[in-house]
């Protein structure tokens, strides 16, 4: 079975500062990794995904994440945040090589950007 | 591509009543998923369809819950005899058949259920 731990439940940051949201996962098999963002009262929007290949993955809205297999981590980063990045961010994992499997989500990290 | 849609967006009901939610996936996506998200938590998997076949159900899906996808297009999720613990956001996602086994899920806006 897979599990996901998001190490910070809340991350407050000032506008234009860099940010890192941390995600560790546990799995006995190979996995795919995802970051989703959820704005208030909305569904989840895919930010980026790691399937294979380069361990540095670039996504939408200037976000990127790095897959580290030895540390079983997939941390999300942005060099300069905006007020509009305020949202809930979820890291998720699914078993690779097997289509139609459920996403396992972390509990989420609330990113609060202030001016 | 109009995205995944869900109806209704909000539902308030009294304990013991039955409710039904609808999900319309992205056109030609043959895989459809239901998740439940409670306050302060990440989404939790409920069930999965490939075309009209329900292939996987979570232990969270008690016998009061039933999901269907009769023609392999839209899906419904029914909760019978609702309880206050059923209050949550119910999310639907769909994914396409792609090469290999890549299975990126695209989510709808959710249906927020409040049981009084």
């Amino acid at each position: 079975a897979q599990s996901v731990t998001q190490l910070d439940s809340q991350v407050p940051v000032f506008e234009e500062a860099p940010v890192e949201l941390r995600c560790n996962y546990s799995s006995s098999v190979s996995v795919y990794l995802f970051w989703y963002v959820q704005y208030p009262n909305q569904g989840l929007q895919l930010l980026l995904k790691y399937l294979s290949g380069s361990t540095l993955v670039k996504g939408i809205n200037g976000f990127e994440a790095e897959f580290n297999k030895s540390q079983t981590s997939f941390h999300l980063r942005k060099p300069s945040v905006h007020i509009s990045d305020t949202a809930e961010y979820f890291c998720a994992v699914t078993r690779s090589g097997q289509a139609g499997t459920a996403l396992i989500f972390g509990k989420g990290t609330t990113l609060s950007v202030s001016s | 591509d109009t995205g995944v849609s869900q109806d209704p967006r909000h539902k308030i009901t009294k304990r013991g009543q039955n409710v039904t939610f609808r999900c319309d996936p992205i056109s030609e996506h043959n895989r459809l998923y239901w998740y439940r998200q409670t306050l302060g938590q990440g989404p939790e998997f409920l069930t999965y369809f490939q075309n009209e076949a329900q292939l996987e159900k979570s232990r969270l899906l008690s016998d009061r819950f039933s999901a269907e996808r009769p023609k392999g297009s839209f899906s419904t999720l029914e909760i019978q005899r609702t309880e206050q613990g059923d209050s949550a956001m119910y999310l639907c996602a769909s994914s396409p058949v792609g090469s290999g086994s890549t299975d990126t899920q695209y989510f709808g806006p959710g249906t927020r259920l409040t049981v009084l």
Side-chain angles (χ1 to χ4, degrees), chain A residues 102-113:
Chain A
L103 284 166
I104 307 300
F105 287 88
K107 292 187 176 183
T109 296
T110 302
L111 176 63
S112 300
V113 182

Side-chain angles (χ1 to χ4, degrees), chain B residues 7 33 40 42 48 50 53 59 62 86 91 105 107:
Chain B
D7 183 70
Y33 304 78
Y48 154 66
Q50 181 158 315
R59 286 172 291 179
S62 75
D86 297 331
L91 294 164
Q105 297 178 30
F107 284 80

Side-chain angles (χ1 to χ4, degrees), chain B residues 4-103:
Chain B
V4 178
S5 61
Q6 293 186 244
D7 183 70
R9 294 290 307 276
H10 304 274
K11 179 70 177 179
I12 300 174
T13 191
K14 293 182 179 178
R15 186 164 50 99
Q17 297 294 305
N18 299 343
V19 295
T20 300
F21 310 141
R22 176 178 169 128
C23 170
D24 287 87
I26 294 172
S27 179
E28 299 181 355
H29 279 195
N30 73 334
R31 298 186 184 123
L32 187 148
Y33 304 78
W34 285 98
Y35 291 82
R36 182 174 69 186
Q37 183 180 20
T38 53
L39 201 61
Q41 301 294 318
E44 295 174 294
F45 170 74
L46 291 178
T47 190
Y48 154 66
F49 290 85
Q50 181 158 315
N51 298 314
E52 65 275 10
Q54 189 173 18
L55 298 184
E56 189 175 351
K57 291 194 291 186
S58 161
R59 286 172 291 179
L60 291 175
L61 210 67
S62 75
D63 56 6
R64 296 185 298 106
F65 288 69
S66 62
E68 294 183 342
R69 195 182 182 197
K71 298 183 179 179
S73 57
F74 73 91
S75 175
T76 58
L77 177 68
E78 181 184 16
I79 308 174
Q80 296 182 327
R81 305 181 305 281
T82 53
E83 302 172 355
Q84 288 185 327
D86 297 331
S87 295
M89 175 80 89
Y90 291 84
L91 294 164
C92 177
S94 69
S95 67
V97 176
S99 59
S101 55
T102 303
D103 196 23

